[in-house]
């Protein structure tokens, strides 16, 4: 088993090899799925990916990673009777659901995260993101059954000194905290194969969970570690 409460700067397909089977209590992740290709015009009041990456339906230089390459590893490392949360867009939802089923997971339901910002498109403006909840093995209720499957959590993105986002697809800590608290207990282990700016790790720190994460991009890896150290310091002061 690899060291807990640490992010590794490597491809999750490599990192998974060091994670023991049936050792993880929860997986929460926002994978680099393929986006709908967009141009470079205005945003009509919302976010808009610009440049060659956007034209190819990508946000990150490393590109997207097909779920079929990593979902079986998620199933292997999770304990029986545990949950996995995977964020996805409309374009990939049907494909993701099929791959999740093929891997052995049991589909539970989809959650909807409603965002304050809107992204323009050809039909309706997009203001939500889908979160797939699946289980390994037996049914397991969430810890707070009163939680709605529609989550209204503001997404106030943090900026670097140059005014740019810390991470293009950064999720709010409060959103990850809801998922972590509902599907794990204190001191259990939460894995995020695509850690990004470290939001899942911070949610774990704030709720007394252990975490393991992988992040391929060195820039985001450094940002995540900086945020994690700050969260640990703030928690220590609070105690």
């Amino acid at each position: 088993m690899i060291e807990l409460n640490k992010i590794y700067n490597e491809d999750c397909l490599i990192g998974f090899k060091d994670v023991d089977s049936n050792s993880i209590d929860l997986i929460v992740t926002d994978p680099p799925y393929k986006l709908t290709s967009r141009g470079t015009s205005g945003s009509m009041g919302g976010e808009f990916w610009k440049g060659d990456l956007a034209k190819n339906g990508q946000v990150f230089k490393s590109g997207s990673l097909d779920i079929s390459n990593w979902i079986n590893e998620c199933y292997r490392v999770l304990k029986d009777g545990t949950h996995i949360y995977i964020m996805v867009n409309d374009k990939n939802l049907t494909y993701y659901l099929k791959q999740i089923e093929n891997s052995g997971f049991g589909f539970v339901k989809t959650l909807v995260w409603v965002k304050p910002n809107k992204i323009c498109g050809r039909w309706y403006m997009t203001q939500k993101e889908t979160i797939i909840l699946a289980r390994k093995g037996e049914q397991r209720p969430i810890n707070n059954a009163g939680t709605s499957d529609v989550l209204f959590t503001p997404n106030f993105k943090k900026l670097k000194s140059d005014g740019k986002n810390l991470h293009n697809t950064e999720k709010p800590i409060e959103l990850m905290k809801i998922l972590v608290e509902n599907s794990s207990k204190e001191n259990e282990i939460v894995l995020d194969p695509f850690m990004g700016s470290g939001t899942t790790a911070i949610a774990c720190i704030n709720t007394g969970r252990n975490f393991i994460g992988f992040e391929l991009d060195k820039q985001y890896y450094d940002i995540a570690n900086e945020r994690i150290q700050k969260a640990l310091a703030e928690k220590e002061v609070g105690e």
Side-chain angles (χ1 to χ4, degrees):
M1 183 69 181
I2 60 178
E3 185 178 343
L4 297 180
N5 301 319
K6 183 176 180 179
I7 298 177
Y8 294 83
N9 182 205
E10 61 184 2
D11 191 320
C12 69
L13 300 181
I14 296 174
F16 266 122
K17 296 177 182 178
D18 294 323
V19 182
D20 293 339
S21 298
N22 307 304
S23 64
I24 302 298
D25 299 289
L26 171 66
I27 292 178
V28 181
T29 194
D30 182 19
Y33 48 75
K34 194 170 182 63
L35 302 176
T36 301
S37 300
R38 297 189 174 107
T40 56
S41 58
S43 66
M44 292 179 63
E47 295 181 1
F48 208 86
W49 312 122
K50 302 180 185 299
D52 292 336
L53 289 177
K55 291 177 182 178
N56 294 323
Q58 297 180 16
V59 177
F60 309 110
K61 293 180 180 179
S62 57
S64 57
L65 182 62
D66 196 291
I67 184 176
S68 63
N69 292 321
W70 51 267
I71 191 63
N72 289 326
E73 282 295 278
C74 290
Y75 188 88
R76 177 184 67 81
V77 302
L78 275 172
K79 297 176 181 178
D80 189 62
T82 57
H83 290 155
I84 180 171
Y85 292 94
I86 304 174
M87 297 189 176
V88 68
N89 61 357
D90 291 342
K91 178 181 178 68
N92 296 281
L93 179 58
T94 302
Y95 179 66
Y96 264 49
L97 288 172
K98 184 62 176 178
Q99 294 300 318
I100 288 169
E101 179 185 2
N102 290 344
S103 69
F105 282 111
F107 171 73
V108 177
K109 71 180 311 176
T110 56
L111 312 178
V112 174
W113 170 43
V114 180
K115 300 182 282 187
N117 55 299
K118 303 179 182 70
I119 301 175
C120 68
R122 295 180 181 178
W123 298 279
Y124 293 87
M125 296 185 73
T126 299
Q127 195 178 354
K128 54 86 176 174
E129 195 162 330
T130 301
I131 307 172
I132 300 171
L133 169 58
R135 59 178 171 82
K136 177 180 177 179
E138 62 186 25
Q139 294 278 7
R140 171 180 174 174
I142 61 173
N143 296 327
N144 181 8
T147 306
S148 171
D149 58 5
V150 179
L151 304 171
F152 295 88
T153 307
N155 187 27
F156 300 112
K157 291 195 172 184
K158 299 172 181 61
L159 303 178
K160 296 184 289 186
S161 59
D162 60 4
K164 295 181 180 180
N165 293 335
L166 285 178
H167 194 281
N168 281 332
T169 62
E170 180 187 348
K171 298 302 183 293
I173 296 172
E174 187 60 33
L175 175 65
M176 294 304 197
K177 181 180 176 183
I178 291 171
L179 307 182
V180 167
E181 285 188 317
N182 268 334
S183 292
S184 67
K185 300 176 182 178
E186 289 190 13
N187 300 316
E188 289 190 333
I189 304 172
V190 180
L191 170 66
D192 188 344
F194 307 98
M195 185 59 82
S197 61
T199 304
T200 301
I202 295 171
C204 289
I205 292 170
N206 293 346
T207 58
R209 274 70 169 171
N210 295 300
F211 66 87
I212 299 172
F214 303 110
E215 176 49 49
L216 179 60
D217 189 301
K218 182 62 165 58
Q219 178 185 355
Y220 292 141
Y221 167 79
D222 290 338
I223 289 172
N225 276 318
E226 183 177 342
R227 294 182 70 205
I228 287 169
Q229 292 307 311
K230 182 179 178 181
L232 287 171
E234 290 176 348
K235 184 177 182 181
E236 185 174 348
V237 171
E239 293 176 346

